[in-house]
Amino acid sequence: MNATTPQPRNSNERISQEIEAVGKSGGWISPIRVKLTYQLRHPYSVQACLSTGDDGATWTISREVLCQAALWDAPAGMGDFTASPWSAGLVRLEFNGIHPESRQRELLMVIDVPQEVLSAFLLRTLHVVPAGRESVHLGLDAALDVLDDVFKPTAVTPDTDLAREAPTFDNAIYQKVKPAF
């Protein structure tokens, strides 16, 4: 990490933001509270806890999809979650899934959140973990280095016994990876 990027204190560090928004589902329109939480131990995702008071649900969504819609004004996502710039400074979040009764894929909920508030939250997450640096916080680089050491290319000659020279999971990988985690 460079000097301008703050070092996280620990992997449990969180950045949270509560947003009052408008939710639409089925035939109803209602105020909804959206609590976004970004955790360093899950640097690619944001937890979105949606609550209408009595009921609630938590979705894990891509930080990159939110950034595309809120910061770069581009629609993003596919499948269960999409986000897109909307009218009058709003970002539209669409949650799709299988309806519990009909068992058909459908739009479950639409939430319009203020772009300014969502953008400020995302900028705080990007200040701690810049885009493209997420793998550093997962320890993937260290794990890949260990695997790279285990699977160094072996020169093959007519005299090489490949079965004897090839690493196996039981001895080579386990011994090197186990201490890394």
Side-chain angles (χ1 to χ4, degrees):
M1 294 184 133
N2 63 39
T4 61
T5 303
Q7 287 285 345
R9 291 181 288 280
N10 63 56
S11 64
N12 292 323
E13 185 173 341
R14 297 170 185 235
I15 298 170
S16 294
Q17 177 71 52
E18 289 200 19
I19 302 172
E20 295 294 327
V22 175
K24 302 168 190 142
S25 179
W28 61 266
I29 297 175
S30 173
I32 190 164
R33 184 176 315 139
V34 180
K35 181 177 182 184
L36 300 174
T37 304
Y38 180 74
Q39 299 178 53
L40 291 179
R41 65 181 172 190
H42 303 292
Y44 290 100
S45 64
V46 170
Q47 293 285 320
C49 183
L50 314 173
S51 174
T52 58
D54 296 337
D55 294 328
T58 300
W59 287 65
T60 301
I61 54 182
S62 164
R63 179 177 74 157
E64 182 179 4
V65 168
L66 290 173
C67 285
Q68 283 183 301
L71 300 175
W72 304 313
D73 290 326
M78 60 189 308
D80 289 344
F81 178 76
T82 60
S84 56
W86 208 244
S87 62
L90 297 173
V91 173
R92 175 157 281 185
L93 310 178
E94 295 184 353
F95 298 86
N96 304 287
I98 305 297
H99 190 279
E101 294 171 8
S102 69
R103 301 207 183 272
Q104 299 294 315
R105 180 164 203 73
E106 62 183 50
L107 178 63
L108 299 177
M109 182 179 289
V110 173
I111 300 174
D112 295 329
V113 298
Q115 183 173 11
E116 185 177 331
V117 177
L118 181 57
S119 295
F121 167 77
L122 292 167
L123 289 171
R124 289 193 340 253
T125 73
L126 290 167
H127 182 70
V128 175
V129 180
R133 301 290 296 161
E134 295 91 349
S135 66
V136 171
H137 297 278
L138 288 176
L140 289 179
D141 293 337
L144 290 173
D145 288 343
V146 169
L147 290 174
D148 192 38
D149 288 344
V150 170
F151 290 106
K152 286 182 181 168
T154 303
V156 178
T157 65
D159 299 331
T160 303
D161 180 359
L162 291 178
R164 185 177 40 112
E165 306 265 340
T168 64
F169 178 81
D170 291 335
N171 60 23
I173 297 174
Y174 182 74
Q175 294 304 317
K176 289 196 175 200
V177 173
K178 182 180 176 189
F181 298 103

